[in-house]
Amino acid sequence: TKDEKNKSNCTGACLNAWPPLYGVPTVGAGVDAAKLGSFTTVDGKVQATIGGLPLYYFAADVAAGDTKGQNVSGVWFVVDATGAMKK
């Protein structure tokens, strides 16, 4: 929730806990293709977005379906296929 549209504010130690989802995203079942996008980060990498919001992994999630990062510090939330945060 601290990011801006097409801009990540996650730096330093934040990136260790929340590695960015790099690359141009592909459409999966139920995903609105019009909401998917990407932007170039300050270090020249391409980070995936949905609804303009940068996407990340949570480093402690190791298996498909893990959501241990949900609501960490009241800042990090899972998003659904439309890009809506699931609080």
Side-chain angles (χ1 to χ4, degrees):
T1 59
K2 294 183 178 184
D3 287 336
E4 300 167 47
K5 186 172 183 177
N6 295 315
K7 182 178 184 280
S8 171
N9 289 313
C10 183
T11 61
C14 175
L15 292 173
N16 292 328
W18 300 94
L21 174 60
Y22 288 123
V24 177
T26 56
V27 179
V31 176
D32 181 352
K35 295 206 175 192
L36 293 178
S38 61
F39 68 99
T40 303
T41 64
V42 294
D43 60 355
K45 297 180 180 175
V46 175
Q47 185 170 354
T49 64
I50 189 163
L53 294 175
L55 295 174
Y56 303 86
Y57 295 101
F58 183 53
D61 287 344
V62 295
D66 281 354
T67 57
K68 296 175 187 156
Q70 176 65 5
N71 199 20
V72 169
S73 300
V75 176
W76 297 94
F77 299 96
V78 172
V79 294
D80 67 16
T82 70
M85 282 186 259
K86 306 312 274 180
K87 293 185 177 184

